[in-house]
Amino acid sequence: MVASEIQSIKGDYLISILEVTMVPAGGCLFASLVLSVVVSAATSYNNIGTYPPAHLNEVGTSEPEPDFGDVIKNVTVALGREAVLSCIVDNLGDYKVGWLRTDTQTILSLHKKVVTHNTRISVTHSEPRTWNLHIRAVKEEDRGCYMCQINTSTMKKTVGCVDVHVPPNIIDEETSGDILVRDGDSVSLVCTARGYPEPKILWRREDNEKIMLRQGRGNKSKVDEVEGRFLNLTRVRRKQMGAYRCIAMNEVPPAVMKRIIVNVSFEPTIHVPNQLVATPLGKDLRLSCHVEAFPKPITFWRINNDIMIINGPKYKVEESSWTYHTNMSLLIRNVEKADIGIYTCVARNSISQAEGQIRTYEIDPPVPATHRPTTDRGPPGGNVFSNALDHSAKPSGLHKNHVDEEYHQHKMTEDTSQISINKGKRKDLHGLTLDLDSARNPAHRPALSGAGVRVSATAGLLPLCLLLRVSAHWF
């Protein structure tokens, strides 16, 4: 390293370096510490006075020698941010402060002048005691230690380090992509990420389902996540099919993620919810089949194992799919006699084909139910006519009560005129009132003759006449 110009001014001890040139020597970068050169030149200077200056002599001075007020605090910054190292110097006086990188001995600045060609480096003197080294847009190569020096006769120095944290980055070239495996095969997924500190890698399912891990026969477990570069899936089944996330994270946000889809190929299988379906003529009928297959199958319907059904005025064919599931639906409009038969749902992919059958048959249309009002009380006569009354409309309670009253008044008059009562015995006339059960069922009639009461033939027929009258009125 050559100093093109060094100026020494007696008494002021002002030294400036106007230009510094790096010269390679022996294949290595020969770097000479500028501050040491300056000190040596200043020490050898002896013209019109002596060095050190008169106010800072060997015997002792009124001004103490400069020293560091504190150690340089290490800093940690994320990639692309700015790093600032602060060097605190007490009693600097006319001495100078310089910065250099310790590992390469590269001189960065001398006092307030930047001597490196790195445009990201700058120095500030914010306070009388503080000298700051700024590194903007920090890169990974800026990670290392930096030295703050004071150009005293015996050089004084202190060191501070910069740690550059790099957010994680997934290396696509070294990471698995979407993959297709056959049902029952095993697969190993790998995820490579770089960053500083070294990223931690987690595997999770995108649908938040648990990851199935198998170790040996019959030894399996379900976990929410797996840590590490590799995710080993043994004897993969269709339920393990889906998207897996490789997540890389360290102390520097944000975490990064790559989505890897695992597809499992297998032959179609068909599940028919209803294999026998009844329908009346003139109504619409919907049939359905559920298919599981990957790759996604081609699906269609046939009638009577012969004619392929397509969309039209008569039929509407629909399907919906997700992952390896497919729902097939067939709508038959205005079912006719010719539509009764066997319907076949077919699913076919590159591996195989599967079929499911639905048999339809005709039934009579349902008879619409009619609503009939009901009451708590029936007409006089109780349960004899209950079955008949269930099939007809019943009158309101007010009208029924009027008929009961008329019936009882008339019956009381007739019974009193036709019945003779034995002397010495009291009979309740109301106890002789015949209800409808007694009128229609002779077994339930009271034995009047045994009680000493005689009823004429006219009196016996009267309740039946009244019954017919009341029944006619109710119906």
Side-chain angles (χ1 to χ4, degrees), residues 98-109:
W99 286 95
L100 72 154
R101 184 159 180 171
T102 58
D103 54 352
T104 62
Q105 292 295 301
T106 303
I107 299 173
L108 304 177
S109 69

Side-chain angles (χ1 to χ4, degrees), residues 159-199:
V159 176
C161 297
V162 174
D163 194 14
V164 180
H165 280 191
V166 181
N169 180 41
I170 294 178
I171 311 303
D172 288 335
E173 295 77 10
E174 303 177 22
T175 300
S176 300
D178 295 348
I179 190 170
L180 174 65
V181 296
R182 288 189 64 88
D183 188 47
D185 289 350
S186 300
V187 63
S188 180
L189 306 180
V190 61
C191 181
T192 302
R194 293 192 178 95
Y196 187 85
E198 185 176 350

Side-chain angles (χ1 to χ4, degrees), residues 255-275:
V256 292
M257 178 270 295
K258 182 174 181 180
R259 184 172 182 261
I260 302 172
I261 298 178
V262 176
N263 290 318
V264 181
S265 62
F266 58 95
E267 62 186 20
T269 58
I270 294 181
H271 170 67
V272 181
N274 297 303
Q275 298 181 350

Side-chain angles (χ1 to χ4, degrees), residues 167 248 290 425:
H290 179 71
K425 295 184 180 180

